[in-house]
Amino acid sequence: MAGKLQKIRSLEVDGITKRFPGVLACDSISLKVGENEVLALVGENGAGKTTLMNILMGLYQPDEGSIRINGQEVRFKTPNDAYAAGIGMVHQHFMLVPNMTVAENVALGAPDFHRFMRLDLAGARKRIQEISEKFSLPVQPDAYIWQLSVGEQQRVELVKTLCFGARFLILDEPTSALTPQETDELIVLLKRMSAEMSIVFISHKLAEVTAVSNKVAILRHGRVVFSGSTSEQTPASLAALMTGHEVNLPVNNCCEECGEEFFSVRNVRAKSDRGFYALDGIDFSIHKGEILGLAGVSGNGQRELAEVIAGLRSVESGSIGMPGFELTNKSPREIINSGLGYIPEDRNTEGIVPSFSIKENLVLKDFASDEFSAGPFLNLKKQEANAEKLKESFDIRCPSVATAAGSLSGGNIQKVILARELARNPKVLVAVYPTRGLDMGAEEFIHKSLLEMRARGTAILLISEELDEIMNLADRVAVIYKGKILKILPSHQATRRSLGLLMAGITENAPGAER
Amino acid sequence: MKPSPRILYIALVSLAAAVAAIGIAAIVLAILGANVFDTFKVILTEPLKDIFGITEILVRAIPLILVGLGIAISFRSGILNIGAEGQILMGIIAAAATAIALPGLPKIVLLPIVFLAGALGGAVWGAIAGYLRAVLGVNEILSTVMLNYIAAQLYGFLLRGPMIDPAELQTGSGTPQSVRLPRSAWIDRIIPGTRLHWGIAVALVLAVLVYILLWRTTWGFKMRAAGAGAKAARYGGIKVEQCLLMAMVLAGAFAGLAGAVEVTGVHRRAIEGISSGYGFSGIVVALFGGLHPAGIVPSAFFFGLLLIGADMTQRMMSIPANMVLVLQGAVILSIISAKMVINDPYAFDKFSRALSRRRKKDESGKTTGETA
C-alpha cells in the first residue's frame, strides 16, 4: 500500500517504437512528463498519440524502448499493471455501464471493492465522496449513468479513475463530446488537479491545448517533431507544426445577400428508432448559395434530421421541399434524382461500400445512369475514366482506382464521397459531421470544397458539433436541442458563448440564462 | 526473383489448410481402421482411370455447378440461402409434372418448357424466404432450412400419392416414384453408354451468364452493393429489399433448374433421394470456388471427384461413402480458418517481418547482398 501511494514525480518514455502491419505507429518516441506538469500531446489522426498512450497503459507492448517512473524502469504487461503503478486513463468513449449507478460503476472496476458474490458499495460511496471533495468534483454516487449529461459522465470517469488510485492522468480527447461551457469547466478543473498530479492531455483542438497545458509535444507520422513549452506557442503556430505546413482554414467572409429561398423544412416531426419524437417540429429554410450551420450536441436529432431529408426515415407530419419538388416521404432514389447530395455521418458504412473498388464507389449513385451504362450493361470504361478524372481533381491518394475503398484512410474515404456527391452538381447538399476525425489537411480541403459549392449556388446544410467549423463556414447558424430548432441567427452575431448556451438548451429569455 | 511476401503467405496458409483438411479426414479414417494412404489414393485417382469414372464425375458436377451459381448470387447479395435442397425438390416436382402433362410436344419445345418449369418451381420456393426476409425481416437461414423440411415432406407425399406411377399400384410394389418422363423430355447423352448428358453445356453457359450478370450489369452491381454494404447501398438509392428478393428468386431458380436437369438428364423419372445432398454440397462448392463462377466450375469438378471416389472406396476398401461428408466438413472448416488467417493483418505482419529477417540472414551469410 505504501508503494501505491508514492507520488509520480516523473514519467519518461524512451525510444518507444511500435510497428503495426504496414505502419510504423511510434518511431522511437522519447518524452518526459515532470511533477505537476500538464503535457499536451497533439498530432493529426494516425500520428501515433493513441498508440503511445495504449503502450503506457499496458494495452500494447512496445517493440523497442522503455518506460521509467521516478527514474525506475517499469514494464506493463496488462492495464492492471499500469493502474497498480498509479497511471489512469480516461478514454475518448466513456467506459461506463449506463443502467448502473455511479458507485456501482466505480466498484465494478476496482478489485478492492469486490466481495464474495457482491460489491462493497458502501466503501465505493465513501471513496467517491472523499475524491469528489478533495478535487471539488461534484458527483452523486447513487445517480444512474443514463440520467447524467455528457459533462457529468466525464466527471464520473475522472472520479472513477482517481478512485482506482491514479496519480497520473491520461485524457484522450476529453472534450470531443462536450459543449463549450463544459469544456471551459473541464479546463479549469484540470488546472486545479495539476497541483496534485501530472496530466497528459491528448487533443487536436489547439485552443484548448494552449489554455490548459504548460508543455506540448507534437507527433507527426509516429515521431516527436516538436516538444517544448506551450507559452511560446499560439494555436496557429501549433497547427503549422502539426501538419508540417501553414494551415489556412478557409473562412466564409462574403456576407452578401444569398439567392432566393430554395430548400425548406417545415414543422417536421419524426420518431427515433426508440420510438420517441427525435424531431419535434423542426422548421428552417436554406437559400441558394447559402450554408446553414446546424450546431448542437450530437444526439439531439441531427442524425434523424439528415435521414429524414435523405428519405431513409419516414416523416410523421410536416413537409420538406424544393421549388417544384416535394421531398416528404419520397424514396431515396427520387430524392437523389431531385438533386440532393448527401455526405453521411458514418463514412465507412453509409458513405461507401468498403469492399467495392474506388471506381465502383464513385458511381454508387449513378451506375445505372445513361452515362455509365448501356441498357442493362455497365460501362466499365466510363466508370474507369470517371474515377481517374475524380482521383485527379479531388487528389484521392490511392494505389489505383481498383483498390478497395475501405482500405483507404479516413480523409481519402471522405474525398471519395465528396467527389461522388459534388460531381453530381447537387442543388442541395447535406453534410453531416463532414470533418469528424479527419486531420487538418483533409479538413482544409473539405471546407474549401464546401465554400466552392456555395459559390456555385448550392444550398448547403452543414451539421456539425465543431463550433469553429460552423462559425467559419456558415452564413446563418441554427441550434438544435432535443429535436427543436431553438434559434437561427446570422453567423456574425453568433459567439461561442451564445451558441454554447443554446446548445445546452438555455434560451436567452429563459430564467438563469446569464448563469 | 523472390516471390512477394503476400503471395508466399497466402500459398503457405492455403497449404496448411489443405494439410489440416486431409489431416482431419486421415484421423477419422484411421479411427475406422482403414489404410489412410490407400484410401486417399482410391478417392483421388481411381475415378480418373477410365471413361466411366470421368463421365460420372461430370454428371455429379452438373447439379453442383448449377446450385453453386445460385448460392454465389445469393451470398454475394447478402442473403444466406441454405434452402437449395428444398428448391431442388420443388424444381423436380414442377419439371416432372410439366413433362408428364405435355408428352406430345417435340423435344425442342418441351425441354425448354420443362427447364423453365423447374426453375420456376425453385424460384417460388426461394421467393418465399426472400419475401419473408425482405418484408418481415425473418432470418433467411431459419426460413430456408424450414422450407427444406416442407419441400421434403411434400415431395414424399406426391411420390406416394398423386404423382405415383400407376404401375406401382397395380403390381403392388408401391415404390415411391413417378412414371417415366416422355422421351421428348430426355436430355440427350453426349457419349453413348455413359450417363454424361448435355446438361453440362447448360451449366457451363450459365456460369458465363452469371459472371456477366454479377459483374457487368446494373442489376448485378445493385445486388453486390446490397450484399457488401447494405447501408451504403440504401443511402445510394438502391432498394436493398428488392435486391434480396431478386437474389433469392434467382438462387431458387438455379437450384430448381439443377433439379430439372438432373431428372431429365439422369433419372428420367422423379424418384426418392434424387437430390442426394446437392443442395448442401452446392454451398461448399460455391464457398470453395470463392463465390465466383470461374472458381465454382473447377470446384464442382473436384467435389464430383470426391463423391465418385467415396463411392469407390465403399466398394474397394469397404469404407462408408459417407466419409465424403466428413471430408466436406473438414474442407469447410479449413477454408474458413484459412480465410480468417489470410485476412488477419497482424498475422501477416508477423510473417513478413520474420521472412525479411530470414532473407537478410541468408544474404549476409552468402555475400554482401542488398537487403530484401
Side-chain angles (χ1 to χ4, degrees):
Chain A
M1 243 4 220
K4 207 179 167 188
L5 295 173
Q6 194 195 353
K7 191 164 178 186
I8 296 182
R9 290 179 205 288
S10 77
L11 184 137
E12 289 167 78
V13 296
D14 192 14
I16 294 276
T17 299
K18 177 76 186 169
R19 290 183 197 89
F20 287 121
V23 227
L24 191 54
C26 297
D27 185 2
S28 71
I29 292 179
S30 300
L31 285 174
K32 184 171 193 258
V33 189
E35 194 171 357
N36 300 347
E37 273 182 355
V38 179
L39 171 74
L41 195 59
V42 269
E44 304 198 315
N45 289 297
K49 297 168 294 187
T50 305
T51 308
L52 181 64
M53 289 307 115
N54 283 338
I55 289 172
L56 261 186
M57 284 312 295
L59 285 161
Y60 294 149
Q61 301 303 312
D63 293 335
E64 285 156 36
S66 59
I67 306 168
R68 282 194 295 276
I69 292 179
N70 296 343
Q72 272 191 313
E73 185 163 342
V74 287
R75 247 174 209 288
F76 301 144
K77 291 207 175 63
T78 67
N80 285 340
D81 295 346
Y83 274 118
I87 299 178
M89 179 157 173
V90 175
H91 294 266
Q92 186 178 0
H93 305 285
F94 300 151
M95 310 280 182
L96 296 168
V97 187
N99 56 355
M100 286 189 169
T101 66
V102 174
E104 282 168 338
N105 267 285
V106 168
L108 201 62
D112 27 328
F113 296 124
H114 290 193
R115 299 287 177 271
F116 179 69
M117 300 288 279
R118 65 184 184 90
L119 296 170
D120 178 14
L121 288 180
R125 228 174 260 132
K126 196 162 150 256
R127 177 94 58 92
I128 291 168
Q129 242 129 31
E130 282 167 18
I131 296 280
S132 69
E133 268 163 41
K134 184 171 169 194
F135 294 98
S136 327
L137 271 167
V139 158
Q140 284 291 329
D142 292 314
Y144 283 93
I145 299 298
W146 59 263
Q147 297 172 322
L148 304 178
S149 73
V150 180
E152 287 169 314
Q153 289 187 25
Q154 178 109 50
R155 281 209 294 273
V156 174
E157 276 284 5
L158 274 173
V159 168
K160 187 178 91 176
T161 311
L162 294 169
C163 284
F164 293 172
R167 297 167 323 276
F168 184 100
L169 271 184
I170 301 170
L171 306 168
D172 189 3
E173 307 215 3
T175 59
S176 57
L178 302 185
T179 62
Q181 272 73 17
E182 286 170 329
T183 303
D184 291 345
E185 283 169 28
L186 181 73
I187 286 172
V188 173
L189 175 73
L190 291 180
K191 282 190 159 165
R192 201 163 60 226
M193 287 173 71
S194 67
E196 298 276 338
M197 59 184 70
S198 316
I199 296 171
V200 174
F201 182 87
I202 302 176
S203 182
H204 55 223
K205 297 187 187 169
L206 301 172
E208 288 163 18
V209 167
T210 47
V212 74
S213 67
N214 40 34
K215 272 179 69 181
V216 60
I218 297 175
L219 294 187
R220 197 161 72 218
H221 306 309
R223 286 186 194 184
V224 180
V225 292
F226 173 83
S227 149
S229 163
T230 313
S231 55
E232 295 153 19
Q233 301 296 330
T234 63
S237 67
L238 287 174
L241 285 165
M242 198 162 109
T243 54
H245 58 87
E246 209 60 30
V247 176
N248 287 312
L249 284 181
V251 176
N252 173 5
N253 42 23
C254 33
C255 254
E256 70 226 48
E257 262 314 297
C258 305
E260 75 240 51
E261 183 178 304
F262 190 70
F263 178 75
S264 64
V265 172
R266 290 285 164 241
N267 216 4
V268 164
R269 276 162 68 87
K271 277 187 177 157
S272 77
D273 292 335
R274 282 188 285 167
F276 62 86
Y277 282 99
L279 301 181
D280 195 5
I282 289 269
D283 204 277
F284 64 84
S285 64
I286 312 176
H287 298 252
K288 270 190 176 167
E290 180 190 45
I291 298 181
L292 178 72
L294 186 71
V297 177
S298 59
N300 274 294
Q302 292 96 322
R303 180 180 188 88
E304 287 80 2
L305 175 63
E307 287 176 350
V308 155
I309 294 174
L312 295 155
R313 182 178 292 279
S314 60
V315 177
E316 296 226 333
S317 65
S319 70
I320 304 167
M322 294 183 220
F325 186 75
E326 177 76 24
L327 270 70
T328 323
N329 288 334
K330 288 279 172 7
S331 74
R333 188 76 248 168
E334 288 168 293
I335 291 172
I336 290 167
N337 289 343
S338 77
L340 185 104
Y342 191 85
I343 298 173
E345 176 178 2
D346 187 343
R347 64 182 76 99
N348 291 310
T349 66
E350 296 163 355
I352 57 160
V353 178
S355 62
F356 269 30
S357 64
I358 293 166
K359 58 183 173 189
E360 286 176 309
N361 271 297
L362 283 170
V363 294
L364 193 59
K365 289 184 171 174
D366 293 308
F367 60 91
S369 71
D370 291 342
E371 195 184 346
F372 296 111
S373 66
F377 295 102
L378 299 168
N379 189 335
L380 298 182
K381 277 195 187 125
K382 287 256 180 75
Q383 240 183 50
E384 177 101 22
N386 172 64
E388 290 295 345
K389 194 183 81 196
L390 293 177
K391 176 190 167 190
E392 211 54 45
S393 53
F394 282 83
D395 187 29
I396 300 165
R397 310 259 169 94
C398 55
S400 94
V401 291
T403 314
S407 66
L408 300 178
S409 70
N412 278 306
I413 289 177
Q414 196 71 315
K415 280 183 189 170
V416 170
I417 298 170
L418 206 64
R420 180 181 70 214
E421 298 302 319
L422 298 198
R424 312 184 76 253
N425 278 319
K427 294 183 213 150
V428 178
L429 179 70
V430 179
V432 191
Y433 309 119
T435 59
R436 186 191 261 176
L438 297 186
D439 58 43
M440 296 192 71
E443 189 175 341
E444 188 182 356
F445 184 90
I446 285 160
H447 284 182
K448 271 189 189 144
S449 304
L450 290 178
L451 287 176
E452 264 167 43
M453 289 310 287
R454 173 186 179 275
R456 280 200 258 161
T458 307
I460 300 174
L461 175 65
L462 169 67
I463 300 181
S464 176
E465 51 198 355
E466 301 285 345
L467 284 187
D468 290 332
E469 180 170 88
I470 285 186
M471 286 165 53
N472 278 345
L473 296 181
D475 296 285
R476 286 184 303 147
V477 185
V479 180
I480 188 169
Y481 179 74
K482 292 200 172 159
K484 284 195 171 78
I485 300 284
L486 284 192
K487 195 167 185 181
I488 301 181
L489 61 168
S491 67
H492 58 86
Q493 285 177 21
T495 60
R496 293 183 68 84
R497 186 180 157 71
S498 63
L499 291 180
L501 288 171
L502 286 165
M503 281 162 73
I506 301 160
T507 48
E508 271 134 301
N509 42 13
E514 290 305 309
R515 194 161 56 129
Chain B
M1 182 63 203
K2 291 195 179 79
S4 84
R6 184 77 203 160
I7 290 170
L8 202 60
Y9 180 67
I10 293 174
L12 281 176
V13 173
S14 310
L15 188 69
V19 169
I22 294 169
I24 294 172
I27 291 170
V28 176
L29 284 172
I31 292 171
L32 289 173
N35 180 330
V36 176
F37 181 77
D38 285 353
T39 311
F40 277 122
K41 207 174 123 194
V42 169
I43 291 182
L44 295 176
T45 63
E46 204 62 33
L48 297 172
K49 280 193 177 146
D50 55 25
I51 191 76
F52 169 76
I54 293 172
T55 54
E56 280 300 300
I57 291 172
L58 297 178
V59 169
R60 299 294 199 287
I62 295 165
L64 289 177
I65 292 174
L66 290 172
V67 172
L69 291 173
I71 297 291
I73 294 173
S74 66
F75 278 35
R76 288 262 176 197
S77 309
I79 187 155
L80 302 177
N81 176 28
I82 313 294
E85 192 72 12
Q87 291 147 14
I88 291 174
L89 292 179
M90 299 312 284
I92 295 171
I93 293 173
T98 310
I100 295 165
L102 304 168
L105 291 177
K107 181 172 284 192
I108 190 119
V109 181
L110 183 58
L111 256 188
I113 294 178
V114 169
F115 286 172
L116 270 181
L120 198 67
V124 166
W125 218 237
I128 297 174
Y131 180 84
L132 288 173
R133 161 76 192 273
V135 178
L136 301 171
V138 176
N139 183 311
E140 74 275 11
I141 297 177
L142 199 68
S143 61
T144 49
V145 167
M146 293 302 143
L147 284 166
N148 282 345
Y149 290 125
I150 299 176
Q153 296 306 318
L154 183 64
Y155 191 71
F157 165 73
L158 287 176
L159 287 193
R160 282 175 178 78
M163 278 177 80
I164 196 169
D165 186 353
E168 294 293 332
L169 294 176
Q170 279 163 17
T171 59
S173 59
T175 311
Q177 59 181 26
S178 74
V179 292
R180 233 151 131 66
L181 304 187
R183 278 184 177 272
S184 52
W186 292 10
I187 307 180
D188 291 334
R189 300 262 151 93
I190 299 176
I191 303 173
T194 68
R195 299 201 296 170
L196 180 61
H197 56 86
W198 285 103
I200 186 85
V202 175
L204 293 177
V205 168
L206 283 173
V208 176
L209 290 181
V210 165
Y211 169 75
I212 293 173
L213 169 75
L214 281 177
W215 278 277
R216 292 297 164 93
T217 69
T218 54
W219 261 102
F221 189 100
K222 268 192 229 181
M223 285 167 34
R224 284 188 300 119
K231 261 188 172 176
R234 210 167 269 139
Y235 273 82
I238 294 169
K239 289 175 182 144
V240 172
E241 282 70 26
Q242 210 180 54
C243 291
L244 291 179
L245 182 59
M246 186 72 189
M248 274 310 287
V249 166
L250 284 174
F254 271 88
L257 182 63
V261 168
E262 187 71 2
V263 77
T264 53
V266 180
H267 305 284
R268 276 126 192 216
R269 64 168 83 213
I271 56 170
E272 287 224 303
I274 199 170
S275 70
S276 53
Y278 287 136
F280 298 117
S281 302
I283 299 174
V284 187
V285 166
L287 288 172
F288 194 67
L291 299 178
H292 193 291
I296 289 172
V297 171
S299 157
F301 291 150
F302 175 66
F303 278 89
L305 170 72
L306 288 187
L307 286 171
I308 303 297
D311 269 353
M312 292 187 163
T313 48
Q314 179 152 11
R315 270 181 280 129
M316 298 170 63
M317 315 276 301
S318 57
I319 300 294
N322 284 344
M323 251 308 292
V324 78
L325 296 178
V326 174
L327 205 57
Q328 274 187 12
V331 166
I332 297 190
L333 281 178
S334 46
I335 292 175
I336 293 169
S337 319
K339 269 194 181 151
M340 299 279 287
V341 177
I342 286 173
N343 291 333
D344 182 349
Y346 293 89
F348 173 64
D349 187 53
K350 265 191 185 165
F351 170 82
S352 55
R353 266 191 279 150
L355 184 74
S356 68
R357 270 202 302 276
R358 265 188 74 161
R359 283 184 175 170
K360 263 185 212 166
K361 228 164 68 185
D362 283 358
E363 272 168 30
S364 59
K366 278 183 226 151
T367 49
T368 53
E370 301 156 294
T371 46

